[in-house]
Amino acid sequence: MERKKLSYIALVITIIYGGLFAVVGDDVRTTYAVVGAIVVAVSWVSVGMLGRDDETPGRG
């Protein structure tokens, strides 16, 4: 998959994760932080490992 698409998906996941801290209650905040951090980390690692650069000359 193109790196730009994976980066966009990872960015959206990160924004949603951060924004939901205002909604999540105090009783589940610790669990949410751990699980959410793992999901965000996996999404950004996938950008680096699975993302392919566009090799078309003149694009960028």
Side-chain angles (χ1 to χ4, degrees):
M1 199 172 202
E2 286 185 27
R3 191 176 307 270
K4 287 182 183 181
K5 290 179 185 175
L6 283 175
S7 296
Y8 179 75
I9 293 169
L11 179 64
V12 169
I13 290 171
T14 304
I15 291 170
I16 291 171
Y17 167 67
L20 285 177
F21 264 106
V23 180
V24 173
D26 290 335
D27 53 340
V28 294
R29 191 161 290 182
T30 303
T31 305
Y32 174 76
V34 171
V35 172
I38 291 170
V39 171
V40 168
V42 167
S43 67
W44 283 107
V45 168
S46 69
V47 170
M49 293 184 68
L50 303 176
R52 290 189 222 127
D53 290 328
D54 184 14
E55 305 215 2
T56 306
R59 289 189 63 182

